[in-house]
Amino acid sequence: MRRKFTRYGLAVLCLLAAVWLWLPEIRPAHGQSGGEDDPEVRVLQGVLTDDTGEAVAGAEVRVTIDGTQQDVANTSHEGSWEVELVELPRNSLRVEYSHPDYDNLPAHGVDSGALDRLLDGAILDQGQLRLRTRPALVLVGILTNEQGQAIVEAEIDVFYDDSAEPVGSAHSLETGLWEVILPRPGAQAPAESVTVEVSHPHFEVDAYQLAPQDVEVLSDGESVNIGQLEMTNRYTLGFWVATLTFVLMLGIIAFERLPNATAALFGIGVVFTTTFFGGEIVPELYIFNFERALAYINWEVIFLVMGMMIVVSVIESTGLFQWLAFMAYRWSRGEPVILVIVLVIITTLASALLDNVTTMLLMVPITLEIAIALDLPPASLLVPEILASNIGGITTLIGTPTNILIGAYADISFNDFLINQTVGVVVALVVMTVYVLWHYRKVFNQGEKGISPTLYAKLEENAKIKNPTVLRKSLFVFAATIFVFAIGENLHMVPAVTALLAATVMLVWVETDVQKMLSLVDWTTLVFFMALFMMVGSIQEVGLIGAVAEGMSNVVGSNLYIGVFMIAFGVGLLSFAIANIPLAASMLPVVEYLSGNISGAASNKILYYSLSMGAAMGGNGLLIGGETNLMTAGVAERAGYPLSFGKFARVSVPVTLLTLLVGSLWLLFRFEVLGG
Amino acid sequence: MDVILCATRGGEASIRTQQRAIALAKEQGAKLVFIFVSDVSFLEHYTAPRVPAMEGEMEHLGEFLLLMAKERAEKAGVEASFVVKKGTFSTALVEAAKEFDASLMVLGRPAAHNITTLDYLENTLAKRLREEANSDMLIV
């Protein structure tokens, strides 16, 4: 029995040995033979990275054997994973990877060769696999005030259900756009509701519930755009401080208590003091921070003005304006009517292409000499020159500071101004000249014609071109500059770049004394612009401009005719006394809002042209309406020929009203009848 | 020969001052010097970089105005010359009075509403002229 048992045992052992040796040949095809009897542990491993090759930690790796999920592993910080297979596959071995922030890789099977190696006991390394980053799950929207203007730097918090902590936060951007990145479902998902809470120092805090269908979309892992959210203005203490400071600044400028730049710096100083000191004690005093203030500075305007200042400084140093005024005297042969017409033409052209303040300043002394020579009251020549200089600048982008502001804000090119305003301006100038000639008709008929040869020689000497070579070169550069302004649009070159290039050429080729030329740049004006932009920004930030826009919109509605007349005459009449640069700067967002409510006005920009006409023509209204007027009067007064407020107003008020009417009618004709 | 300084500029009121100064010079057999003070410092309020250029232009204008005054004086048989000074009005006048050793300074009367200026001329400037340049002042 024992011997028999031993024999059977040996036979089994031999059989097993034979089977063992023969195994590769007799092993069934995959799926025909199980490995369940094999006690050895097989290892499957790999590494997961993202698109950039960075390790993906926390990804789930699922191994499915013969259609049944068997093992799950998570990737380590290095992205590596390892699964120990207790059971061996009969038919198939598939691996899947998933992570909430990445697209799932399609499940893949292990090929037969690899499976053989695995069954042979090898560690099967799947190598490095890349997961594609899944687009973030975002909630997007736009935040506006009641006038539809973007609200910047508002805080947006998103809450799921009744959670106390937000699941995501963001700040609104320059366009009012905000996007909050939310955790993808899987990590966290809304069950019933999603609340968006928006807050800003100058608006009421609001909470918006997402519509159920939007919540469902978010739960499905899709992003949602909830569109425009409107916030209600809150008139804080900061609102009143900014508003009163702005009005005070305008008053200081109007009454010349301080230079413009000082007045604007004073204003912004009050705003910052209120924000940073007052706001710490009483949060309601907060107006805006320095970063927001800087964002309001239009650097395109600053560089355009600076570049043109250098260009004009070179040209003015040649004595061109004085020579032109003298030539007007010669061409007219002392005939006052012709002289006025020629002076108006010269002043208009010079103001359209150059800075009108400089043009007028340099022409005043020689004009006084001509008036004295002809025994005419100097006012009869100076007043039409002032009026022409203020009107003439309207035709081009660089003609007036207000046009520079408008052009940069509304993206109106050099050619646009030229095409859309020139005819209106020419008609307005004709009306102005006719009125002036009629007003001074008696003195023009009384003037003596002729002076002594000595005086004539002195007049001629005073009007001599000082440096013909510099004049020739600078006029060449200037002509090229105007040409580039005109074609710059096609090259996508902003006017500020053209002005800077022109200034550079002037400094390199025409007038190389850089110290001298930079000393002729009116830095105080540039500082004024910067501080003014920040001041206007402060009243925009607290909601004053929005409120003004809303009030004006209630009157204008969608009526283009009322809009054009209201902007032109409203701004024009205010410019009688208020400096037109801060006025135009603060009106730009208002015009933008009104344009949005009138069909076609946003695309053809008619209301911006109306603002341009109103601000420039309105500056003619009174002697205190513009710097050109005040400086001319100042120079005349020091020469012994005071230009009184009343004398000026008798001509300027009717002329201003007439030219505003002509300008407005032209704009309506240009855009309503001619179209465009 | 005595020297009379006449501070003047353009305009009707200045012509009256010039005529009075011419008459005085003729009467006293004095030489007449017209003076124009170019002060454009007010422009610094608006555009400081333009001040030097405007000073030059105002100087030209002053010379033109004084040339006319000189022609008037010479027509009346009075020997006349002129000078244009830059700077503040009172300092320029005192400097000119010392420079020409003037015995008399003739000035136009400020407009009726300008009491402060008249008071300044009659008290402060007259005193300075007397003390610093040994000149009398006549407001006409």
Side-chain angles (χ1 to χ4, degrees):
Chain A
M1 182 65 187
R2 190 178 165 189
R3 198 177 293 164
K4 192 178 175 182
F5 180 79
T6 307
R7 198 167 55 239
Y8 283 143
L10 279 170
V12 168
L13 278 173
C14 288
L15 186 65
L16 284 173
V19 167
W20 176 251
L21 292 169
W22 192 47
L23 194 62
E25 281 72 31
I26 65 162
R27 187 186 297 152
H30 303 307
Q32 290 175 2
S33 168
E36 61 270 23
D37 296 329
D38 191 339
E40 257 189 73
V41 173
R42 308 298 200 268
V43 175
L44 198 59
Q45 66 181 31
V47 174
L48 283 185
T49 63
D50 64 11
D51 308 332
T52 63
E54 287 290 310
V56 173
E60 198 172 87
V61 182
R62 287 182 298 280
V63 177
T64 306
I65 297 173
D66 300 332
T68 307
Q69 185 181 304
Q70 299 293 324
D71 295 286
V72 177
N74 285 96
T75 51
S76 68
H77 284 296
E78 290 79 36
S80 60
W81 60 272
E82 188 177 281
V83 175
E84 293 180 351
L85 300 176
V86 180
E87 291 189 24
L88 292 179
R90 290 180 183 173
N91 299 312
S92 64
L93 174 63
R94 295 178 72 77
V95 189
E96 288 176 89
Y97 311 88
S98 66
H99 189 288
D101 297 336
Y102 299 88
D103 280 340
N104 291 345
L105 271 183
H108 67 92
V110 175
D111 63 54
S112 56
L115 203 54
D116 285 344
R117 288 198 302 280
L118 180 70
L119 291 172
D120 284 347
I123 291 174
L124 186 58
D125 193 340
Q126 294 291 91
Q128 182 177 314
L129 288 170
R130 284 174 184 255
L131 293 181
R132 204 178 60 188
T133 309
R134 187 180 275 185
L137 177 62
V138 287
L139 191 59
V140 186
I142 288 182
L143 215 50
T144 65
N145 61 12
E146 292 150 289
Q147 293 76 46
Q149 292 160 333
I151 296 174
V152 187
E153 283 198 0
E155 194 175 323
I156 297 103
D157 293 313
V158 178
F159 297 86
Y160 281 174
D161 303 319
D162 297 323
S163 65
E165 289 297 314
V167 287
S169 300
H171 284 94
S172 56
L173 306 173
E174 204 63 39
T175 52
L177 180 79
W178 56 268
E179 59 171 43
V180 176
I181 296 174
L182 298 172
R184 298 201 70 84
Q188 202 174 355
E192 288 176 353
S193 68
V194 174
T195 308
V196 179
E197 192 178 284
V198 290
S199 59
H200 187 283
H202 301 298
F203 294 89
E204 301 290 351
V205 176
D206 270 322
Y208 303 88
Q209 291 283 339
L210 250 66
Q213 60 269 31
D214 286 337
V215 177
E216 206 172 305
V217 173
L218 272 183
S219 302
D220 291 343
E222 297 293 328
S223 296
V224 170
N225 182 348
I226 60 171
Q228 188 172 320
L229 296 180
E230 191 179 292
M231 292 184 82
T232 312
N233 232 109
R234 191 162 67 98
Y235 297 113
T236 61
L237 287 173
F239 169 89
W240 294 109
V241 172
T243 303
L244 292 175
T245 307
F246 188 75
V247 172
L248 182 65
M249 181 198 78
L250 291 180
I252 291 172
I253 292 173
F255 292 102
E256 298 192 317
R257 306 313 299 172
L258 290 171
N260 293 354
T262 316
L265 280 173
F266 165 76
I268 201 65
V270 171
V271 166
F272 284 141
T273 306
T274 307
T275 294
F276 292 107
F277 290 95
E280 284 295 312
I281 302 160
V282 182
E284 278 240 326
L285 281 169
Y286 179 87
I287 297 170
F288 65 174
N289 60 30
F290 189 56
E291 287 72 26
R292 281 297 300 145
L294 287 181
Y296 281 100
I297 298 177
N298 191 328
W299 293 103
E300 198 181 323
V301 170
I302 303 294
F303 282 107
L304 175 55
V305 173
M306 190 183 82
M308 289 312 293
M309 276 177 180
I310 293 173
V311 173
V312 172
S313 296
V314 178
I315 296 174
E316 76 175 28
S317 67
T318 62
L320 175 67
F321 304 117
Q322 297 90 321
W323 178 80
L324 283 172
F326 176 70
M327 292 313 288
Y329 169 68
R330 273 185 44 173
W331 292 329
S332 67
R333 297 173 189 277
E335 177 55 53
V337 173
I338 298 172
L339 178 64
V340 168
I341 293 169
V342 178
L343 283 177
V344 163
I345 293 170
I346 291 170
T347 316
T348 301
L349 289 174
S351 298
L353 300 173
L354 301 160
D355 163 33
N356 55 344
V357 168
T358 308
T359 310
M360 258 322 284
L361 261 184
L362 295 174
M363 282 183 71
V364 173
I366 196 84
T367 304
L368 282 169
E369 290 170 39
I370 292 168
I372 294 162
L374 293 173
D375 198 20
L376 291 171
S380 65
L381 300 184
L382 290 178
V383 171
E385 277 184 353
I386 294 172
L387 299 175
S389 78
N390 284 328
I391 298 171
I394 302 172
T395 47
T396 66
L397 172 73
I398 53 170
T400 64
T402 48
N403 271 15
I404 292 176
L405 291 175
I406 294 166
Y409 188 91
D411 197 22
I412 299 176
S413 70
F414 186 86
N415 293 343
D416 291 337
F417 273 111
L418 209 60
I419 292 164
N420 296 319
Q421 310 245 72
T422 303
V423 176
V425 167
V426 169
V427 177
L429 282 167
V430 170
V431 170
M432 181 277 284
T433 310
V434 169
Y435 187 89
V436 167
L437 291 175
W438 176 80
H439 182 86
Y440 290 111
R441 64 192 181 282
K442 286 179 187 164
V443 295
F444 286 159
N445 291 330
Q446 288 168 0
E448 285 175 16
K449 299 170 185 72
I451 48 173
S452 72
T454 321
L455 281 173
Y456 184 86
K458 179 68 189 157
L459 187 61
E460 194 173 24
E461 183 198 323
N462 288 352
K464 237 174 20 195
I465 295 290
K466 289 169 189 135
N467 193 333
T469 310
V470 170
L471 178 65
R472 268 195 300 275
K473 284 181 174 180
S474 59
L475 284 182
F476 175 78
V477 175
F478 188 69
T481 307
I482 297 298
F483 176 72
V484 179
F485 272 133
I487 63 159
E489 204 179 347
N490 302 321
L491 304 170
H492 308 291
M493 192 158 85
V494 293
V497 175
T498 307
L500 285 177
L501 289 177
T504 309
V505 174
M506 285 287 192
L507 290 172
V508 170
W509 185 48
V510 185
E511 184 55 84
T512 52
D513 186 346
V514 69
Q515 294 292 345
K516 181 184 151 196
M517 292 321 298
L518 291 185
S519 74
L520 291 175
V521 171
D522 195 348
W523 298 105
T524 51
T525 298
L526 298 179
V527 170
F528 169 60
F529 271 116
M530 285 188 258
L532 175 67
F533 282 133
M534 289 195 271
M535 264 317 287
V536 172
S538 74
I539 56 165
Q540 192 168 349
E541 196 81 2
V542 297
L544 174 64
I545 286 182
V548 171
E550 188 70 40
M552 286 185 73
S553 176
N554 290 337
V555 180
V556 175
S558 57
N559 190 315
L560 177 67
Y561 296 86
I562 296 177
V564 167
F565 279 101
M566 190 165 172
I567 297 284
F569 277 86
V571 172
L573 293 176
L574 282 173
S575 296
F576 272 35
I578 297 174
N580 56 7
I581 294 173
L583 187 62
S586 56
M587 281 299 291
L588 287 168
V590 176
V591 169
E592 185 183 16
Y593 176 60
L594 295 177
S595 297
N597 294 341
I598 297 172
S599 172
S603 55
N604 64 24
K605 299 173 183 171
I606 182 171
L607 294 188
Y608 288 104
Y609 294 116
S610 192
L611 175 64
S612 159
M613 294 244 186
M617 290 174 174
N620 272 335
L622 296 176
L623 201 55
I624 57 167
E627 286 195 344
T628 310
N629 319 2
L630 287 165
M631 283 191 270
T632 304
V635 172
E637 196 268 331
R638 274 152 185 80
Y641 300 95
L643 189 56
S644 76
F645 185 88
K647 260 188 196 170
F648 184 79
R650 274 195 286 277
V651 187
S652 65
V653 172
V655 163
T656 304
L657 295 176
L658 281 170
T659 51
L660 282 171
L661 180 67
V662 167
S664 304
L665 289 174
W666 159 252
L667 288 178
L668 288 172
F669 180 77
R670 165 72 188 86
F671 291 102
E672 286 295 281
V673 179
L674 299 180
Chain B
M1 195 179 196
D2 266 359
V3 174
I4 295 175
L5 268 178
C6 175
T8 186
R9 42 188 193 171
E12 287 298 319
S14 295
I15 290 174
R16 279 197 301 276
T17 311
Q18 289 167 17
Q19 282 167 345
R20 183 68 191 278
I22 291 168
L24 275 171
K26 201 170 183 178
E27 194 181 296
Q28 295 174 15
K31 187 186 170 189
L32 189 57
V33 178
F34 293 104
I35 176 169
F36 176 85
V37 181
S38 159
D39 179 12
V40 287
S41 56
F42 79 100
L43 286 174
E44 281 170 8
H45 180 93
Y46 307 100
T47 173
R50 301 284 166 271
V51 171
M54 277 308 290
E55 275 177 348
E57 292 306 315
M58 285 301 276
E59 209 175 319
H60 290 156
L61 175 61
E63 285 166 3
F64 185 83
L65 293 171
L66 297 186
L67 202 56
M68 288 179 82
K70 184 173 173 267
E71 279 186 356
R72 272 188 207 108
E74 284 171 349
K75 215 178 264 181
V78 173
E79 186 189 343
S81 63
F82 63 82
V83 62
V84 176
K85 292 261 177 200
K86 286 183 203 169
T88 53
F89 186 67
S90 55
T91 307
L93 290 192
V94 172
E95 270 179 19
K98 282 199 276 191
E99 188 182 324
F100 290 95
D101 195 18
S103 57
L104 182 67
M105 172 76 72
V106 180
L107 288 167
R109 180 173 291 275
H113 62 273
N114 211 339
I115 305 295
T116 321
T117 309
L118 181 63
D119 182 58
Y120 173 79
L121 294 179
E122 285 178 337
N123 297 308
T124 314
L125 183 61
K127 194 177 165 199
R128 270 191 75 186
L129 278 170
R130 211 168 19 255
E131 287 175 358
E132 294 179 38
N134 198 26
S135 293
D136 290 327
M137 191 174 79
L138 177 67
I139 297 175
V140 296

